[in-house]
Amino acid sequence: MINVIGLGYIGLPTALMLASKGAQVVGTDYNKELVATLKKGELTFEEKGMPELFKKALEKGIVFTTEYQKTDIYIIAVPTPYDKVSKKIDASYVNKAIETVLEVCPKGATVVIESTVSPGTIDRHVRPFINKKGYVIGEDIHIVHAPERIIPGNMVYELEYNSRTIGADSMEIAEKVKAVYETFCKGEIILTDIRTAEMTKVVENTFRDINIAFANELAQICRSDNMDVYKIIEIANKHPRVNILTPGPGVGGHCISVDPWFLVGDYPGLANIILAARKINDSMPEFVLSRINDIMKENNMTDLSRVGLYGLTYKENVDDTRESPTLQLLESMEKHLAEPLKVYDPWVKRNIVEHQYQDFDKFLNDVDLVVIMVAHKHIKDNMNRLKGKIVYDTKNVCDLEGTYKL
Ligand code: SAJ
């Protein structure tokens, strides 16, 4: 039996996938409400392919509970938040989970940590924590790091087809864990040590952050000289060795905008490009704000309350709002004591910010300038509804005449 601890964005799809392939799976989460929802047969977030996967897993007998199970393999996918000031990771959720595992597990059980941790976290925080409790790693318990790589919006597919990394202290344990993941993962499974696995994960997201920052810096350069950044990127990308990403209103989500900070925090003075990239991406919401200001002036608009932000999630066609550029923009307005802008997002069914609308028509009625922050399919399908509005499109999806671009 596999006990998956933490049934969030990563733990839940992983538990469902394992169960759907026939493993006996118990999903554990300390959040009683979440467990009750899953027990009722309802999912806790929207994701392509999840309802079907959930159905299969239920048929195969997956169980949800708040209790940790006695078994020989655990997969931990709990949050690893970081301190916004020190940029250091908070491993306390991981340690708490391991502590509870230790209370129930038989000798020699394996604990797979899927949560992203900064390089060195397991050596610096997890091992000492276990040792202090009087347990011997490698005898009483085996620690493995198998960071996830799935992208929200395409999780189910990527769970099955991405390659993965398994970091362990011994090849024997790595092989044992590989056998578990092999039941559903069709990609290559690389076995390595724990430090390498930790570092690789953070490096992957940092690579992407830096590349997005390059596109965003180009957008700022082109704006300052009134050039079309999209055209320039399109032409440059015809070069066989150039592949510039897409500029946008900022970088959100709980991965790409967070992981690079671990390297900045742990290697101050060495992580220079990484820090610069973070700053550029973090500057984008303010850049958008100053563009809104310019566009308002150009159109003799003075009333901020007639400006509406379309999109509150961190990217298109997901319901995840963590660290989203729109939230960053609203935060920055709050710092300047400005009244927040109106917001609408078809994916966010509960009001989480002030002046948030649940009705697209009402939202459109109440604003003259619409800022497209997220390129949901919904807005692409409803572009004609923006006719007659001033449109500022930060995602390059609107071709109505007169549209302002990033
Ligand atoms: N973005 C741009 N321009 C681009 C691409 C993305 O502005 O060209 C923005 C998006 O709008 C979004 C942010 O960057 O705000 C991040 O989005 P994303 O879709 O690139 O990535 P995430 O955060 O959803 O998922 C990433 C993935 N990592 C990589 O692609 C290296 C995923 O594989 C990881 O599993 C995930 O982080 C994670 O959990 O670490």
Side-chain angles (χ1 to χ4, degrees):
M1 184 245 287
I2 306 167
N3 191 190
V4 178
I5 316 288
L7 299 173
Y9 285 102
I10 301 303
L12 182 60
T14 306
L16 298 181
M17 186 58 95
L18 282 163
S20 76
K21 299 291 177 190
Q24 194 194 340
V25 177
V26 177
T28 300
D29 199 295
Y30 70 0
N31 182 339
K32 288 195 190 90
E33 244 172 73
L34 185 140
V35 169
T37 307
L38 293 171
K39 274 186 162 170
K40 270 192 281 171
E42 289 166 24
L43 280 168
T44 39
F45 61 92
E46 285 190 43
E47 174 67 37
K48 192 174 68 196
M50 283 273 281
E52 296 78 7
L53 189 65
F54 193 27
K55 197 166 160 265
K56 254 195 234 160
L58 286 171
E59 282 164 10
K60 298 273 185 178
I62 190 169
V63 173
F64 302 105
T65 169
T66 52
E67 300 297 320
Y68 284 57
Q69 305 299 302
K70 182 172 186 168
T71 184
D72 65 343
I73 184 143
Y74 298 84
I75 295 180
I76 295 185
V78 296
T80 39
Y82 77 108
D83 185 295
K84 288 213 165 140
V85 180
S86 72
K87 311 295 185 199
K88 299 265 177 170
I89 201 155
D90 170 6
S92 62
Y93 289 83
V94 172
N95 277 345
K96 183 80 203 116
I98 292 178
E99 185 177 29
T100 319
V101 165
L102 284 167
E103 281 164 18
V104 296
C105 75
K107 191 178 166 86
T110 300
V111 177
V112 182
I113 301 169
E114 278 219 20
S115 315
T116 302
V117 292
S118 63
T121 297
I122 292 180
D123 278 355
R124 282 199 299 267
H125 300 286
V126 177
R127 288 186 204 273
F129 178 80
I130 295 171
N131 292 338
K132 225 164 100 194
K133 298 206 135 305
Y135 294 95
V136 179
I137 296 172
E139 283 177 27
D140 296 319
I141 192 165
H142 299 280
I143 299 295
V144 173
H145 183 42
E148 54 75 23
R149 275 181 174 160
I150 53 178
I151 195 152
N154 200 25
M155 286 179 153
V156 176
Y157 175 88
E158 291 207 352
L159 253 183
E160 219 170 332
Y161 292 96
N162 282 358
S163 70
R164 353 185 18 125
T165 320
I166 293 176
D169 292 338
S170 77
M171 273 305 125
E172 191 197 332
I173 294 298
E175 290 286 356
K176 177 180 159 194
V177 172
K178 185 179 176 189
V180 171
Y181 283 101
E182 255 172 2
T183 59
F184 67 83
C185 174
K186 298 190 174 74
E188 186 184 359
I189 301 180
I190 309 262
L191 307 185
T192 184
D193 59 84
I194 288 180
R195 282 207 76 137
T196 306
E198 287 175 326
M199 188 67 167
T200 309
K201 164 73 193 183
V202 171
V203 162
E204 289 165 6
N205 281 341
T206 303
F207 172 88
R208 200 152 161 84
D209 196 45
I210 291 172
N211 282 280
I212 298 169
F214 178 60
N216 282 338
E217 185 160 278
L218 286 182
Q220 297 198 16
I221 291 172
C222 290
R223 175 55 51 213
S224 79
D225 222 3
N226 212 12
M227 287 187 285
D228 182 347
V229 68
Y230 300 107
K231 197 77 214 162
I232 290 162
I233 292 176
E234 186 193 323
I235 298 171
N237 280 351
K238 304 275 182 207
H239 185 292
R241 284 170 297 283
V242 175
N243 184 15
I244 305 171
L245 295 181
T246 316
V251 172
H254 194 62
C255 314
I256 295 182
S257 65
V258 175
D259 294 3
W261 282 123
F262 299 155
L263 295 175
V264 173
D266 285 343
Y267 303 98
L270 292 174
N272 298 320
I273 295 189
I274 300 170
L275 176 59
R278 267 296 64 241
K279 283 187 179 161
I280 292 161
N281 287 337
D282 271 356
S283 77
M284 289 312 287
E286 291 253 0
F287 173 80
V288 169
L289 210 45
S290 83
R291 275 285 280 155
I292 293 175
N293 197 23
D294 292 346
I295 293 166
M296 286 178 72
K297 272 195 203 136
E298 212 178 302
N299 290 278
N300 299 319
M301 266 180 84
T302 47
D303 188 0
L304 263 180
S305 76
R306 299 294 300 173
V307 181
L309 303 173
Y310 177 93
L312 189 51
T313 61
Y314 82 92
K315 66 177 183 182
E316 59 277 6
N317 310 325
V318 299
D319 62 4
D320 190 341
T321 56
R322 290 179 297 176
E323 331 275 338
S324 84
T326 302
L327 287 177
Q328 293 178 37
L329 188 151
L330 293 172
E331 236 172 67
S332 143
M333 292 190 82
E334 200 183 318
K335 264 190 228 145
H336 296 122
L337 301 175
E339 185 66 9
L341 301 175
K342 298 193 159 82
V343 184
Y344 171 75
D345 191 312
W347 281 79
V348 185
K349 303 270 159 52
R350 169 173 81 76
N351 284 5
I352 58 168
V353 292
E354 268 181 81
H355 307 311
Q356 186 182 338
Y357 287 67
Q358 289 298 336
D359 186 311
F360 188 45
D361 292 310
K362 273 206 189 105
F363 168 75
L364 286 182
N365 248 330
D366 286 358
V367 300
D368 300 318
L369 165 56
V370 178
V371 184
I372 301 176
M373 295 291 286
V374 185
H376 289 309
K377 181 171 180 298
H378 167 266
I379 193 69
K380 291 184 181 167
D381 292 345
N382 282 287
M383 215 48 98
N384 276 339
R385 303 286 313 281
L386 300 185
K387 272 189 186 151
K389 302 282 175 200
I390 306 165
V391 180
Y392 171 29
D393 172 17
T394 70
K395 298 296 291 184
N396 199 27
V397 286
C398 177
D399 47 21
L400 294 175
E401 223 187 293
T403 297
Y404 290 89
K405 296 287 174 173
L406 194 64

